[in-house]
């Protein structure tokens, strides 16, 4: 990153207690204090959250979209991991 | 609308047929394209320009309305206008972030705006001499923007589509607050009604121009439609806007400044008069009443903010160095 560029932060917001923080966008800021302030101004103007995380974008490791098939396709054929795969008579009741 | 800056731009793309066909197949299957996915260079360039122009429009769009924040006629109007202008700033930031996912930096986009290389919507080059202009902008300009942005929520590029969903959710209040201002003035004294009519007279045609040239004049439109960056043509969106807005004007007793405006039963929409395209091109090319002032204001903000950006970075460096030193001392 060139010297005069202000670092990028990814913003995660918890909409309310009991829910997980969810990625909602990014902001530029010189440090973590300003990143939190900017995230609050940009992403919570209408009560969207009760808690914010900011993470330097450079700290995130992502899977390569090129490997999408080998990563995720194996799960598609394993239908026996889902409850609907098993035949249980209705008479048994809710299970 | 936000593709005004694409006028004359090349969408040529250097990839081979098989690559382009595979990409088009993903688009046709309504798959969203994400930042690290392979994409034709022309697709990337078109989006960088369009999203960049859209972001610049939000930021420059703060200026005509910011002009009235300190002079709003009541605390209610002032709080609403302040919130609206703050939203525009936020929308600009969502959009800059979306453009940055395509590999362009914020600094580069800012420099291109200030140098005049990048465009922003022609509409923001008109002045706001009266309070009624704030009503007209919310009602007409934000109304036209919503008309354009709703289909962009289904744009094939994921980050742009997601930014648009957020923007559209927030934008509806902008149009309603503008219409409420116009309605209040239109039901007020004769002078107030005249002021509302005068603002409508000045903003009507520039609002129609926001949708860009006629489809027959717009060459890159076809490619953008094929790539599902755009979902409707300029003329389709313009027609929708006219059909939605005319009854709203009638409801508050204001007259659309177009003698040729007439309901066309057969097409189920309004026919309207010819747009002054000379004026449109003049404003797009920098000759509008406020082009110079708008860019000057942005340049002033950028230059006068330089020391703040530098100080914030220097402060961050200093804290980082201190933390490192304290850690070393502790070990």
């Amino acid at each position: 990153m060139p010297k005069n560029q202000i670092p990028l932060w990814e913003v995660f917001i918890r909409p309310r207690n009991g829910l997980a923080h969810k990625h909602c966008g990014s902001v530029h800021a010189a440090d973590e204090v300003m990143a939190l302030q900017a995230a609050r101004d940009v992403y919570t103007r209408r009560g969207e959250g009760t808690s914010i995380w900011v993470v330097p974008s450079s700290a995130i490791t992502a899977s390569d979209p090129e490997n999408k098939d080998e990563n995720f396709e194996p799960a598609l054929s394993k239908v026996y991991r889902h409850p609907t795969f098993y035949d249980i008579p209705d008479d048994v009741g809710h299970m | 609308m936000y593709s005004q800056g694409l006028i004359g731009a090349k969408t040529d793309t250097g990839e081979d047929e098989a690559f382009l066909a595979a990409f088009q197949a993903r688009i046709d299957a309504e798959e969203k394209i994400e930042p690290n996915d392979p994409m034709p260079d022309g697709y990337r360039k078109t989006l960088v320009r369009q999203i960049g122009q859209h972001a610049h429009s939000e930021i420059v769009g703060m200026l005509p309305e910011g002009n009235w924040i300190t002079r709003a006629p009541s605390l209610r109007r002032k709080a609403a206008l302040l919130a609206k202008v703050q939203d525009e700033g936020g929308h600009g930031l969502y959009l800059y972030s979306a453009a940055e996912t395509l590999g362009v930096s914020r600094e580069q986009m800012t420099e291109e705006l200030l140098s005049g290389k990048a465009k922003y919507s022609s509409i923001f080059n008109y002045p706001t001499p009266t309070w009624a202009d704030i009503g007209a902008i919310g009602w007409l300009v934000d109304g036209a923007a919503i008309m354009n942005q709703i289909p962009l929520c289904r744009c094939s590029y994921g980050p742009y589509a997601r930014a648009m969903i957020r923007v559209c959710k927030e934008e509806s209040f902008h149009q309603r607050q503008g219409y409420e201002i116009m309605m209040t003035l239109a039901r007020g004294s004769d002078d107030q009604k005249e002021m509302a009519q005068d603002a409508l007279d000045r903003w009507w045609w520039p609002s129609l121009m926001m949708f860009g040239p006629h489809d027959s004049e717009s060459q890159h439109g076809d490619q953008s439609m094929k790539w599902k960056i755009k979902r409707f043509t300029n003329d389709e969106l313009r027609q929708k806007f006219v059909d939605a807005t005319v009854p709203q004007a009638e409801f508050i007793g204001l007259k659309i400044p177009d003698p040729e405006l007439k309901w066309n039963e057969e097409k189920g929409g309004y026919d309207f008069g010819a747009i002054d395209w000379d004026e449109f091109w003049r404003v797009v090319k920098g000759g509008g009443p406020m082009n110079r002032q708008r860019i000057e204001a942005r340049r002033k903000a950028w230059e006068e903010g330089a020391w703040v950006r530098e100080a914030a970075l220097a402060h961050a460096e200093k804290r980082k160095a201190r933390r490192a030193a304290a850690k070393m001392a502790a070990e």
Side-chain angles (χ1 to χ4, degrees):
Chain A
M1 189 175 67
K3 209 166 173 287
N4 63 343
Q5 276 192 18
I6 298 183
L8 190 64
W9 304 74
E10 298 304 318
V11 179
F12 298 80
I13 290 184
R14 184 205 293 282
R16 53 177 196 275
N17 281 339
L19 296 180
H21 286 76
K22 198 176 162 218
H23 183 248
C24 68
S26 54
V27 293
H28 284 278
D31 62 25
E32 71 283 2
V33 178
M34 295 182 79
L36 273 177
Q37 284 169 354
R40 171 193 164 273
D41 289 346
V42 177
Y43 293 105
T44 64
R45 289 194 302 282
R46 287 172 174 79
E48 290 92 336
T50 56
S51 164
I52 304 174
W53 288 349
V54 289
V55 179
S57 303
S58 57
I60 289 180
T61 308
S63 65
D64 186 342
E66 298 257 308
N67 300 336
K68 197 173 69 180
D69 288 350
E70 61 189 79
N71 275 335
F72 308 113
E73 195 148 59
L76 298 181
S77 58
K78 296 176 179 56
V79 286
Y80 45 85
R81 284 180 171 159
H82 297 279
T84 45
F85 179 75
Y86 301 92
D87 288 325
I88 305 287
D90 287 348
D91 297 344
V92 177
H94 179 71
M95 180 181 279
Chain B
M1 168 177 311
Y2 299 105
S3 50
Q4 285 175 356
L6 298 179
I7 293 164
K10 287 189 181 139
T11 50
D12 298 356
T13 204
E15 294 81 7
D16 63 41
E17 285 301 318
F19 178 86
L20 291 174
F23 181 76
Q24 190 62 47
R26 289 195 64 192
I27 298 279
D28 293 341
E30 296 289 332
E31 273 184 48
K32 288 278 185 254
I33 308 301
E34 294 296 340
N36 293 325
D37 291 350
M39 62 182 87
D41 205 34
Y43 180 81
R44 180 187 302 274
K45 276 192 196 145
T46 303
L47 278 167
V48 165
R49 289 182 68 148
Q50 179 167 336
I51 303 173
Q53 160 161 350
H54 197 160
H56 297 324
S57 301
E58 301 282 354
I59 299 297
V60 176
M62 297 166 83
L63 297 169
E65 291 180 293
N67 186 31
W68 278 93
I69 290 174
T70 56
R71 292 174 287 160
S74 70
L75 191 55
R76 183 178 186 272
R77 294 286 187 224
K78 185 172 181 160
L81 183 58
L82 199 55
K84 177 181 190 294
V85 172
Q86 196 186 9
D87 272 353
E88 308 297 3
H91 297 172
L93 295 182
Y94 308 155
L95 286 159
Y96 281 129
S97 296
E100 283 172 77
T101 62
L102 291 158
V104 61
S105 76
R106 181 79 58 91
E107 285 76 7
Q108 193 183 334
M109 285 187 278
T110 305
E111 276 157 22
E112 287 184 0
L113 171 68
L114 298 183
S115 73
K117 189 173 171 232
K119 303 284 179 225
Y120 53 89
S121 182
S122 56
I123 195 79
F124 301 116
N125 291 313
Y126 292 87
T128 46
T130 78
W131 170 250
D133 292 325
I134 301 307
I137 289 181
W139 172 34
L140 302 173
V141 176
D142 287 86
I146 291 170
M147 212 49 104
N148 191 62
Q149 286 171 163
I150 284 174
L152 286 175
C153 295
R154 293 190 297 127
C155 167
S156 59
Y157 188 57
Y160 193 23
R162 292 191 287 274
M164 280 299 102
I165 290 170
R166 250 192 111 84
V167 167
C168 285
K169 271 190 198 158
E170 298 183 350
E171 197 96 55
S172 162
F173 119 68
H174 298 180
Q175 192 186 15
R176 289 172 66 105
Q177 69 93 35
Y179 190 66
E180 197 195 75
I181 291 171
M182 289 302 260
M183 193 164 62
T184 306
L185 291 171
R187 289 175 180 171
S189 67
D190 287 348
D191 282 348
Q192 286 171 321
K193 184 166 183 179
E194 202 178 304
M195 192 162 86
Q197 182 63 53
D198 165 65
L200 172 57
D201 290 348
R202 283 182 291 109
W203 289 93
W204 176 253
W205 291 105
S207 297
L208 296 194
M209 291 174 201
M210 279 176 77
F211 294 94
H214 281 310
D215 298 344
S216 54
E217 308 275 317
S218 168
Q219 295 157 347
H220 58 272
D222 291 347
Q223 185 59 68
S224 284
M225 294 280 282
K226 224 175 120 200
W227 278 334
K228 298 194 178 167
I229 295 173
K230 282 173 81 162
R231 296 277 178 165
F232 295 97
T233 68
N234 295 351
D235 284 333
E236 284 167 347
L237 288 169
R238 189 167 14 241
Q239 183 70 49
K240 272 173 182 266
F241 174 75
V242 171
D243 294 344
T245 311
V246 171
Q248 294 165 356
E250 282 168 0
F251 183 81
I252 54 176
L254 296 181
K255 198 175 172 320
I256 302 281
D258 178 358
E260 290 170 55
L261 186 79
K262 215 174 91 205
W263 177 255
N264 181 330
E265 190 63 49
E266 206 175 307
K267 81 169 179 185
Y270 287 90
D271 289 332
F272 50 95
I275 291 170
D276 179 356
W277 292 110
D278 289 343
E279 176 181 327
F280 171 76
W281 291 113
R282 203 163 55 238
V283 177
V284 166
K285 288 176 180 159
M290 299 297 283
N291 292 60
R292 250 196 29 230
Q293 287 92 326
R294 298 294 184 235
I295 291 300
E296 259 169 33
R298 289 313 308 156
R299 183 173 292 123
K300 187 164 175 271
W302 180 247
E303 285 171 1
E304 291 181 359
W307 74 269
V308 179
R309 294 190 297 275
E310 285 162 19
L313 281 172
H315 179 65
E317 281 300 317
K318 196 169 80 181
R319 284 181 58 224
K320 209 192 283 174
R322 276 193 193 151
R323 270 201 305 267
K327 204 177 156 203
M328 280 233 304
E331 274 165 5

